[in-house]
Amino acid sequence: MAGEDRSPGTAPRAAAPDETPDLYGAYPRLTPKQIRFLSGHGTRRPVAAGEVLIREGDRGGDFYVILGGSVAITEYYGTADERLLRLHRQGRFLGELGLLQGQVAFYTAHAREAGEVLVIPVDRLRVLVARDPVLGNLVLRAYLGRRTMLVGAGAGFRILGSRYSSDTRRLREFAARNWLPHRWIDLETDAEAEALLRRFSIPPEETPIVIWREEQVLRNPGNAELARLIGLSTPAADGDHDLLIVGSGPAGIAAAVYGSSDGLATTLVDAFATGGQAGTSSLIENYLGFPSGISGSELAERGVLQARKFGARVRIPAEATSLEPDGGHYRVTFTDGTEALGRTVVLATGAHYRRLDVPGIARLEGTSVFYAATVYEARQCGADPVAVVGGGNSAGQASLFLAERVPRVHLLIRGPSLGAGMSRYLVDQIERHPRVNVALDTEVREVRGDDTLRSVVVEHIRTKERRALDACSLFVFIGAKPCTDWLSDALALDDEGFVLTGAEAEARAAPGVWESQSRGCLRLETSLPGVFAAGDVRSGSVKRVASAAGEGAMAVHHVHDHLGHTTAGLPGPGDDLPAPSGRSAAPGGDPHASATDAHPLHMTGGEGR
């Protein structure tokens, strides 16, 4: 079993005939040595048949290792809709990603047969996996795999609504981008929809609704309300932050990891979901350390888990609306009326894909025109051809991902060459793939369809010849616009709206701003001292995940430089830093440990946008 610390000659016990097999590393069996190690930090106790260990909807809980008997994992436990998901026996452990993140449980775990379990508080588990890289990797890999399976199985809450409703699309995208187990019930086509509406006495015009545990119904909830229901983020922190990071793409996550591991009181906020544009990538193949690739969502989850391990707080959703100086700090205001004060701020809001402006497209966005290509969007394609617009890495990755799920992908590129804006490894794969049809010198002129896309009208740039391509979905990757509208009056931006840093920012700063400082503007610093920009939002940045993560780490180095000039006696980035009052920077270990020395929650980047 991958990741197991197994003594020579010792093989894991095979699964019992009725036990869920471990096919993908999601349900490994702990070795006797690992169980002995964990036993020194937990409590053994008997369990009776039928005893509930983890209840659906409860937050937090303990880490359980099965020492005897069997444990069933079920959905809708105790109701007429009860469904068995998994069955585990001796040597396996319970839980999934939500246990480490403080989310509610999406299932119930109960003893099917009497036996014995080892119980370890989850806070203690975090310490143990930090100290033991082999065990940490085993648990993390299993938990990530289990979350993927829960999402794929449609476990968790249900979203009932029309595919033509913008609010339904919003809720589905929010759940998908935040990797929340859920199932969509289509108001128009799903036979279950009418029965559920009758059960809860809800008319169709009041959809979408979110159904949780058969007993709680939210009528068209906002993203923040759904996040609170699931326990997606921590409450807003009172008081000052050493470091406030706005945006949780690779740059923001890296800044959170390095800032919190250095002992800074760090808060990471995002308007929608962790991962940024990278989080929408189905497979990132060309980043060091991942020879078989990694999905953007898994990359983001690993990074956020690591930041949380070092004590960073995460708030989602929290959309920033303004940034202004406030008594030596910076005040960031959010759409919900809350505010946060930071001694320093890292802006990592990234950029979003530009919309394609052609006739007929507006009414189809969200139903069959998409600006990301993940499992969520791919599920809506069915068995019909699709079209992808764009000549960069994102378009290439999307084409290959979709080609494994649909019979034909039309890749539409304005330029004369496939390799002009795309990495060579993607070009080679696309040219060899039998289901990807590349159309060069081609632009979209019109999309056709009433409720869903039926065809795409394209034009050859040189010959002006037009033709219609059958396509049920259109995926658009035609460049990015920085997410800086809320910053236009706060600091210096370039002509395209990207944040200026370094010498250019200093030259564009308000009179007297830098004259009052005892230093010049740092490389990633904006026109406001102590406010930094990292990743795609920064003018002149390299639009790659690896460079974004590097800039996030570099921004924290600058944070120390700034604080060292403004706060007497504060250590520099290479010195030992005391943990902020009331919290430990690195649970159970050296609070000053470098993020690069971390256990398997160590963030590693991904390439290809």
Side-chain angles (χ1 to χ4, degrees):
M1 198 72 65
E4 287 194 345
D5 183 11
R6 190 180 303 144
S7 300
T10 301
R13 184 171 64 83
D18 61 344
E19 186 178 40
T20 302
D22 179 27
L23 299 178
Y24 307 105
Y27 306 111
R29 203 177 307 282
L30 296 173
T31 65
K33 181 179 179 180
Q34 289 169 332
I35 292 176
R36 285 194 301 271
F37 168 72
L38 292 171
S39 295
H41 304 277
T43 304
R44 302 170 70 112
R45 70 171 181 84
V47 293
E51 180 179 347
V52 173
L53 302 175
I54 300 172
R55 189 175 297 277
E56 186 176 359
D58 287 353
R59 190 188 300 230
D62 296 316
F63 178 77
Y64 292 94
V65 178
I66 304 171
L67 302 178
S70 63
V71 175
I73 308 298
T74 61
E75 187 180 25
Y76 311 131
Y77 179 66
T79 72
D81 297 325
E82 181 174 329
R83 178 167 64 123
L84 176 67
L85 299 175
R86 317 280 182 235
L87 181 69
H88 303 302
R89 293 187 176 275
Q90 181 180 351
R92 288 189 176 178
F93 54 88
L94 306 182
E96 60 96 34
L97 194 61
L99 180 66
L100 295 177
Q101 294 181 328
Q103 296 175 9
V104 299
F106 293 98
Y107 56 81
T108 294
H110 59 95
R112 196 176 74 163
E113 301 170 291
E116 185 181 21
V117 295
L118 172 64
V119 188
I120 301 172
V122 67
D123 288 341
R124 187 60 182 162
L125 173 68
R126 294 189 182 103
V127 174
L128 296 177
V129 297
R131 291 179 177 176
D132 187 332
V134 174
L135 178 64
N137 186 64
L138 185 73
V139 172
L140 179 60
R141 180 188 177 197
Y143 278 6
L144 289 168
R146 294 177 191 185
R147 173 56 64 94
T148 299
M149 291 180 178
L150 283 174
V151 170
F157 57 90
R158 287 178 280 184
I159 299 172
L160 192 163
S162 169
R163 67 177 59 195
Y164 308 117
S165 162
S166 60
D167 283 318
T168 299
R169 296 196 297 269
R170 169 183 57 79
L171 289 169
R172 293 182 63 201
E173 185 179 2
F174 183 77
R177 287 286 307 278
N178 285 286
W179 216 12
L180 300 177
H182 70 286
R183 179 161 62 92
W184 170 48
I185 301 170
D186 190 346
L187 181 64
E188 274 76 28
T189 63
D190 200 316
E192 185 182 0
E194 184 63 31
L196 287 170
L197 291 178
R198 286 198 303 268
R199 180 191 302 181
F200 296 108
S201 301
I202 295 176
E205 59 268 21
E206 293 186 14
T207 60
I209 61 174
V210 170
I211 304 170
W212 175 237
R213 298 176 60 200
E214 298 300 298
E215 60 188 40
Q216 189 171 358
V217 177
L218 304 181
R219 302 185 186 218
N220 194 17
N223 293 345
E225 186 178 1
L226 180 57
R228 287 193 296 270
L229 176 73
I230 302 304
L232 181 62
S233 63
T234 56
D238 296 329
D240 298 347
H241 307 78
D242 294 330
L243 174 59
L244 179 61
I245 304 164
V246 185
S248 67
I253 294 174
V257 169
Y258 283 88
S260 56
S261 68
D262 278 349
L264 299 175
T266 301
T267 292
L268 175 68
V269 302
D270 197 282
F272 196 75
T274 59
Q277 284 191 39
T280 68
S281 296
S282 55
L283 187 65
I284 302 169
E285 292 187 83
N286 63 337
Y287 186 82
L288 178 68
F290 290 98
S292 59
I294 184 172
S295 71
S297 59
E298 182 176 341
L299 174 67
E301 290 295 338
R302 285 176 177 266
V304 171
L305 280 172
Q306 187 182 11
R308 288 180 186 270
K309 183 198 76 169
F310 287 123
R313 299 175 66 89
V314 180
R315 282 188 62 196
I316 296 174
E319 182 177 356
T321 58
S322 66
L323 167 70
E324 58 185 357
D326 188 341
H329 292 65
Y330 288 99
R331 182 181 300 276
V332 176
T333 304
F334 302 97
T335 53
D336 62 359
T338 61
E339 298 176 335
L341 277 177
R343 299 168 66 198
T344 60
V345 177
V346 170
L347 302 172
T349 50
H352 58 78
Y353 286 111
R354 298 183 184 277
R355 265 38 185 177
L356 185 64
D357 186 16
V358 296
I361 198 169
R363 67 178 181 273
L364 300 176
E365 289 184 330
T367 59
S368 48
V369 175
F370 307 106
Y371 296 86
T374 67
V375 174
Y376 161 71
E377 289 84 14
R379 284 175 179 166
Q380 302 185 60
C381 295
D384 296 313
V386 303
V388 176
V389 182
N393 281 353
S394 293
Q397 289 172 334
S399 298
L400 292 170
F401 171 71
L402 294 165
E404 299 303 317
R405 293 159 173 80
V406 300
R408 174 67 60 184
V409 175
H410 300 287
L411 176 55
L412 312 176
I413 300 176
R414 290 185 58 192
S417 169
L418 182 60
M422 194 178 298
S423 297
R424 185 69 234 177
Y425 81 98
L426 286 171
V427 173
D428 291 341
Q429 292 182 62
I430 288 171
E431 289 178 340
R432 293 195 304 265
H433 204 294
R435 290 193 291 277
V436 179
N437 177 53
V438 179
L440 302 174
D441 295 314
T442 300
E443 289 187 330
V444 176
R445 295 305 184 203
E446 182 185 358
V447 296
R448 295 173 178 172
D450 296 325
D451 296 326
T452 59
L453 183 68
R454 303 299 178 197
S455 63
V456 177
V457 178
V458 300
E459 179 181 279
H460 193 275
I461 294 174
R462 288 185 287 106
T463 66
K464 304 302 180 183
E465 177 186 356
R466 290 195 177 192
R467 58 192 175 111
L469 302 174
D470 291 337
C472 69
S473 297
L474 177 65
F475 295 83
V476 182
F477 305 93
I478 56 171
K481 180 180 182 295
C483 301
T484 56
D485 290 344
W486 64 288
L487 295 169
S488 58
D489 296 327
L491 42 73
L493 308 177
D494 69 12
D495 292 341
E496 295 183 351
F498 292 91
V499 178
L500 291 171
T501 57
E504 291 181 292
E506 185 174 355
R508 295 272 297 274
V513 169
W514 284 100
E515 287 78 356
S516 63
Q517 302 294 311
S518 59
R519 59 175 179 80
C521 184
L522 299 169
R523 184 175 179 183
L524 300 184
E525 198 163 20
T526 70
S527 55
L528 293 176
V531 178
F532 306 89
D536 286 5
V537 75
R538 189 178 70 82
S539 178
S541 66
V542 178
K543 304 301 187 278
R544 297 280 188 170
V545 178
S547 60
E551 288 191 6
M554 184 177 174
V556 173
H557 180 84
H558 288 341
V559 164
H560 287 291
D561 287 342
H562 171 74
L563 293 177
H565 278 84
T566 57
T567 305
L570 188 73
D575 300 328
D576 286 345
L577 290 171
S581 175
R583 79 177 198 31
S584 171
D590 179 3
H592 322 304
S594 166
T596 56
D597 297 327
H599 76 308
L601 300 189
H602 169 56
M603 177 182 175
T604 43
E607 205 45 86
R609 276 192 282 173

